[in-house]
Amino acid sequence: MDEIALVAALRARMRGEVVASADEAWHEVRLPWARGVDQRPIAVATPLDVDDVAAVLAVAREHGATVAVQPTGHGAVDALEHAILVRTSAFDRIEVDVEARLARVGAGVLVGDLLAALDGTGLVGPTGSSRIVSVAGLVLGGGQGWFARLGGLGGEWLRRAHVVLPDGSARWLDDGDEAMRLLRGGAGLVAIATELELALRPVSDLRGGAIDVALEDAGAMLRAAGGLVDAEPGLALAVALLAMPDAPVLPEAIRGRSWCAARVVLADVDERAIAPLRAAAAPHRDAVAPIAPGAVHTISADPEAPGASIGWSALVPRLDDATIDALVAARQDPALAPILGIEVRLLGGVEASRPSLVPQPTERWIVSCIAPIPPGADGEAQRTAVASLADRLASVTNDLTLPTFLAGGPLSRALPPDAIEALRTWRAEHGGAVLHPSRLPD
């Protein structure tokens, strides 16, 4: 591949910026948010409009390259060699129609910016736990977050999508298009989305926050959470078992501390619904209070600075005594100290109604963990700890997860075989080879 000719063609045919591997700026713009992945694309392109996106695809086809779309880089998984990396930050429009309960957002809009735009409207939209992931990544990846039990996994919020298809043609997709079903879960394996139309949900009374108890009370809190498995859809719940190192980079308030946090969001749900959580143990802190949509990210307080980490997740059929005992024992094991957080999140809620590759889990819970890798470390301690946790929980979990919880794993852990085959077939019939096959099993 003649990379010089490819870059020259991009610059000649695009209005947006193109940064090549020979440019000094490449070393910074190539980096994903997940810094544990060393991305080395041929070039990083920032299209300004749909015509620019079509031009990127055309140049890639002509030069034998692939195109990978990455609004923020939270889901980075491979080196992107022989690929053009597309950043969608220029697609940043947010338009909210309160009366119609609809939002139109560009593919570069962050979740936090959409939710902040909904403050005071009495409406909520799709969200994860972090405000700095893109709406497109969350929605097209079938993301699960604070309003997923109320409105469904990410794709359930999507009414229409404006995309550029592999052949460079641009159009709006709706539920009458097979490509729309594939887009929900297949995302950048199917097309490059430039704008999404989302259905919003009315919420007149929104509350949220964390109830913190001592780590030795984690078992009691998890049992109380298990009793809420059939709670109404407006109640979102996650229980996190946290252990912070005594590291100077951490705020003094949490440095060296271990505790259990029950994190909740109540969307038009009476606060009495969480009485079992409040009665489980004497709280160190009870911060559940009225909250604006644009502030729900503060409940989880996910890190916003880029960094390297190792993660893992799996669906959990039951939060029974065996599962709770395994979780508590794992958190108490000093060998798993590199894992800062082990979280169990309640799934379920509204039934799926829109065509999607992402199946509605029959499991009612999902467990996940995160082990940050300190700068300069090789990550071996983190990998060992996460692998050990997965082994310890193998008897109470299965080997499946949700797409946005993959933490670098193949799509086959989140999508059924027929969904993977549908993606392969569609790509073969529509020139999809130009779209980088990230996470698609060989």
Side-chain angles (χ1 to χ4, degrees):
M1 182 188 304
D2 187 340
E3 295 187 7
I4 295 176
L6 181 150
V7 170
L10 283 175
R11 287 174 171 158
R13 295 158 72 171
M14 282 182 63
R15 294 195 305 121
E17 183 181 31
V18 177
V19 178
S21 58
D23 299 330
E24 184 63 30
W26 179 83
H27 297 282
E28 181 64 27
V29 299
R30 70 183 176 89
L31 296 174
W33 184 89
R35 294 295 167 84
V37 179
D38 184 20
Q39 295 186 154
R40 309 188 69 80
I42 300 168
V44 180
T46 306
L48 296 184
D49 53 26
V50 169
D51 288 342
D52 271 2
V53 174
V56 172
L57 288 166
V59 170
R61 285 194 305 272
E62 293 163 8
H63 291 264
T66 59
V67 178
V69 183
Q70 200 175 86
T72 63
H74 277 71
V77 294
D78 62 60
L80 300 183
E81 293 179 348
H82 311 302
I84 303 167
L85 175 58
V86 169
R87 300 287 194 201
T88 56
S89 54
F91 295 85
D92 58 359
R93 185 175 75 131
I94 301 175
E95 181 181 314
V96 177
D97 185 332
V98 176
E99 185 175 342
R101 297 176 181 170
L102 293 175
R104 292 267 290 267
V105 300
V109 170
L110 302 184
V111 165
D113 293 331
L114 170 61
L115 292 184
L118 298 179
D119 286 352
T121 65
L123 300 170
V124 299
T127 179
S129 56
S130 171
R131 72 181 182 93
I132 60 170
V133 299
S134 70
V135 176
L138 178 81
V139 167
L140 302 184
Q144 202 282 345
W146 290 121
F147 301 127
R149 284 176 44 79
L150 178 70
L153 297 177
E156 279 294 301
W157 301 79
L158 180 63
R159 283 178 44 123
R160 296 195 304 154
H162 187 267
V163 302
V164 181
L165 295 166
D167 64 4
S169 61
R171 55 177 292 213
W172 281 96
L173 303 178
D174 59 26
D175 285 351
D177 296 289
E178 169 65 0
M180 184 66 148
R181 181 179 79 92
L182 301 178
L183 198 65
R184 293 188 179 106
L189 294 168
V190 177
I192 299 178
T194 60
E195 189 172 7
L196 307 179
E197 183 178 275
L198 307 171
L200 305 175
R201 291 279 182 151
V203 174
S204 60
D205 180 26
L206 183 63
R207 297 169 184 267
I211 302 169
D212 296 343
V213 300
L215 189 58
E216 51 262 35
D217 293 319
M221 184 61 82
L222 286 165
R223 286 178 173 84
L228 297 177
V229 68
D230 293 319
E232 54 192 298
L235 188 152
L237 169 63
V239 179
L241 282 59
L242 303 162
M244 300 295 148
D246 188 8
V249 295
L250 294 175
E252 188 174 348
I254 63 172
R255 189 183 308 162
R257 283 189 57 214
S258 297
W259 73 100
C260 172
R263 299 160 170 169
V264 300
V265 166
L266 304 169
D268 289 332
V269 173
D270 193 295
E271 216 170 304
R272 287 175 292 184
I274 60 171
L277 303 177
R278 286 175 160 152
H284 292 171
R285 180 180 72 117
D286 185 339
V288 178
I291 194 169
V296 293
H297 68 277
T298 62
I299 299 171
S300 295
D302 280 7
E304 297 191 358
S309 63
I310 304 295
W312 169 81
S313 67
L315 295 172
V316 181
R318 294 166 298 279
L319 194 57
D320 55 13
D321 286 344
T323 304
I324 292 170
D325 290 346
L327 288 165
V328 172
R331 180 68 288 175
Q332 293 173 339
D333 186 349
L336 302 188
I339 299 175
L340 268 59
I342 303 172
E343 183 188 81
V344 183
R345 188 179 298 188
L346 179 60
L347 302 177
V350 300
E351 292 293 326
S353 62
R354 298 186 185 276
S356 172
L357 294 183
V358 183
Q360 182 92 356
T362 56
E363 297 84 355
R364 304 303 300 272
W365 304 87
I366 186 169
V367 62
S368 61
C369 74
I370 189 72
I373 301 173
D378 63 7
E380 186 58 33
Q382 288 73 23
R383 281 186 285 272
T384 299
V386 169
S388 177
L389 177 65
D391 287 343
R392 295 185 67 146
L393 299 183
S395 64
V396 295
T397 62
N398 59 35
D399 194 40
L400 300 176
T401 188
L402 294 172
T404 53
F405 283 73
L406 276 170
L411 269 178
S412 54
R413 284 200 66 220
L415 300 183
D418 61 337
I420 299 294
E421 186 57 34
L423 280 173
R424 292 188 196 282
T425 300
W426 195 92
R427 284 167 59 87
E429 294 175 352
H430 295 84
V434 73
L435 298 171
H436 192 71
S438 185
R439 284 190 174 142
L440 192 63
D442 294 332

